[in-house]
Amino acid sequence: MPAQAALPLIAAPLPEDDLVDRLRLIRSRRVGATTYHRLMAEHGTARAALDALPDIARAACIDSYEPCPEGVARAELAKGRALGAVPLIHGGPGYPAALADLPDAPAILWALGRTDLLDRPMVALVGARNASSLGTRMARKLAEGLAGAGHVVVSGLARGIDRAAHLAALETGTIAVLAGGVDVVYPTENEALFHDIGARGLRLSEHPAGLHPQARHFPQRNRIISGLARAVVVVEAAARSGSLITARSALDQGREVLAVPGHPFDARASGCNLLIRDGATLVRGPEDVIEALDSTPTRVPPPKAPPRITEVPATPAHASRPAPADPAALHARILSRLGPSPLAEDQLIRDLALPAGHIAPELLTLEMEGRIARAPGGLLSRLD
C-alpha cells in the first residue's frame, strides 16, 4: 500500500473558528488521532466531520451522540494560551514536519517554550526509571555529545535516564514530551527541571492543560517522542518496558533504533541487549550515534501507513458511504480476523480481499462502537 501523502502546510494561522472545530473534533468521544485524520480526509473540513459524527455514531448503534461542545474547546484554548502555550495544529504553521506524515500524528500539540527547537535535528534518549549509576552517566555523556553536535535531545521527563538526558542538554536544547497536560508536573520530583525546560527548552503535549496522566497516555506519548526524532537511543531498559514501546514505535515510523549494551545479568539491560540482538545499532558513545545519523538521510522517509479514505474518491458529506450489501456480515468478518494481539490494518485489508474504501468506514463504525481499538503504527485489536 502506498504511504499517505503529507498534508501541505498552511502558510497563515488557521481562522479561530476552524481551530475551534478541529479541537472539538479531536476532543469528541471515541475520536482518536487516526480517526480524526480519517474523518478529515473523508469530509474535507472539521465542521463537516462534526456534522457527520452523530450519523456515524447512530450507524454504530450509539444514540444521542454529541460531539465535543464548542464551549469546551474554547475553554481549552483560553486556558492553554493563558499559560503561555501555543497550539500547533496538524497541517498548520509551526507543526513539526517530522510528525506530519504519521498516520496517527497528533491533531494538536500544545507547545510551551522554545518552539524553534522543533526546526532542528532531534534525537530521542530514553531508558529505565530506576536507572543505574552507570546508566545515568551514559545518558549524560550521550546527551552532552549529541547537544554539542547540534542535536536537540528529546525525552519524556521521567525519572532516571530521561531526567539525566534533559539535564545534560538543557543549555543547548531539549524537548520534554509529556503524558499529561503541558502544565502538569509528573513525577513531582522533577518539578524544578519541569520549569527549567519550560523556560529554556520546550514542553509538548497533545492533551489539554490540567490533564493528569493515566497509564494509557504513556504509549501515546512515546509515539510522539520517537516520531520527532531521527533516531531513538535506548540507554537502559527491561525486556518489558515503556522504552521498548518507544523503540517499536520508532521502527514502525522508519526511525533509527540504537541501544547501549549492558551486562546479561542486569535486568535493566535486557531490553537493550534484545534490541541489539535483533539488529539495533550498538552504542558506545555519542560518536556512534552521530555516525549512524550521518549514514541515514537527513529527512526520514514517511513510514508505510495503512490506507486511508483519501485513497478512494472523496464523496460529498450527504452521499452514502461505500459499503457492501451486508455491513453486519462484514463486521463479523473483521472481528473474526482480529484478536487481542494487534494486527496491521493493511494486512487485515489483504486478508479480507475487499477494497479499502469498503473496509475503512466499517472500521470507523466498529471503533465508535468500542469493539476495536487502534494502537500507534496503524495496528488494530479486538476489544471483548
Side-chain angles (χ1 to χ4, degrees):
M1 295 288 179
Q4 170 69 20
L7 294 176
L9 291 178
I10 302 168
L14 292 173
E16 188 73 6
D17 287 345
D18 190 14
L19 176 58
V20 170
D21 288 342
R22 291 177 185 232
L23 188 54
R24 288 181 64 200
L25 183 59
I26 190 59
R27 300 301 185 226
S28 292
R29 184 162 53 101
R30 295 186 178 177
V31 176
T34 305
T35 302
Y36 170 91
H37 293 300
R38 288 183 178 278
L39 290 169
M40 288 292 291
E42 182 176 8
H43 298 283
T45 67
R47 177 59 59 89
L50 286 166
D51 291 341
L53 265 180
D55 288 338
I56 296 172
R58 196 173 299 113
C61 300
I62 302 172
D63 296 326
S64 303
Y65 181 93
E66 293 185 4
C68 173
E70 180 178 336
V72 172
R74 291 193 182 277
E76 178 180 337
L77 288 172
K79 184 174 182 178
R81 288 165 170 164
L83 293 168
V86 178
L88 306 178
I89 301 297
H90 184 267
Y95 190 89
L99 296 178
D101 291 324
L102 303 183
D104 54 357
I108 181 173
L109 284 169
W110 281 104
L112 197 156
R114 293 180 53 194
T115 55
D116 63 291
L117 295 177
L118 295 170
D119 297 325
R120 290 169 49 188
M122 292 171 265
V123 175
L125 291 181
V126 297
R129 288 172 170 81
N130 62 332
S132 68
S133 176
L134 284 174
T136 54
R137 285 167 54 193
M138 185 63 169
R140 287 196 296 268
K141 178 181 177 182
L142 290 172
E144 289 168 355
L146 291 168
H151 298 280
V152 173
V153 173
V154 182
S155 199
L157 197 59
R159 301 180 181 93
I161 298 301
D162 290 19
R163 174 183 171 83
H166 285 307
L167 282 169
L170 189 58
E171 295 300 326
T172 50
T174 188
I175 296 174
V177 184
L178 308 178
V182 75
D183 60 331
V184 176
V185 181
Y186 184 87
T188 54
E189 66 197 60
N190 281 343
E191 182 172 4
L193 178 58
F194 173 90
H195 292 297
D196 284 343
I197 292 175
R200 292 186 277 172
L202 180 66
R203 301 200 305 256
L204 282 181
S205 173
E206 65 179 326
H207 299 296
L211 182 138
H212 287 265
Q214 300 178 26
R216 69 178 185 275
H217 296 144
F218 290 94
Q220 297 170 4
R221 176 206 58 181
N222 293 348
R223 88 189 193 283
I224 301 175
I225 293 174
S226 57
L228 286 170
R230 289 183 60 197
V232 172
V233 183
V234 185
V235 179
E236 278 186 340
R240 293 187 178 184
S241 64
S243 299
L244 261 63
I245 294 175
T246 308
R248 286 194 292 270
S249 292
L251 292 171
D252 290 339
Q253 295 162 343
R255 275 52 172 169
E256 289 290 315
V257 175
L258 307 92
V260 176
H263 195 284
F265 289 169
D266 188 347
R268 289 171 294 199
S270 58
C272 292
N273 293 339
L274 285 171
L275 288 172
I276 294 168
R277 183 199 66 182
D278 294 339
T281 300
L282 186 149
V283 171
R284 298 162 297 176
E287 299 80 10
D288 289 335
V289 182
I290 294 167
E291 180 182 350
L293 292 173
D294 288 344
S295 65
T296 59
T298 300
R299 188 179 186 281
V300 179
K304 292 185 177 180
R308 292 196 195 158
I309 291 174
T310 48
E311 295 180 6
V312 298
T315 57
H318 64 272
S320 60
R321 294 181 296 160
D326 186 357
L330 178 52
H331 291 180
R333 290 184 61 193
I334 291 171
L335 293 172
S336 70
R337 295 279 182 173
L338 296 176
S341 298
L343 177 71
E345 184 176 340
D346 54 354
Q347 182 61 56
L348 174 66
I349 291 171
R350 286 194 293 270
D351 291 346
L352 293 172
L354 289 173
H358 285 176
I359 298 172
E362 305 311 323
L363 291 175
L364 178 57
T365 296
L366 289 170
E367 188 176 6
M368 294 291 290
E369 289 178 349
R371 302 173 74 185
I372 66 172
R374 294 185 184 274
L379 300 176
L380 301 170
S381 59
R382 179 173 177 170
L383 297 175
D384 292 326

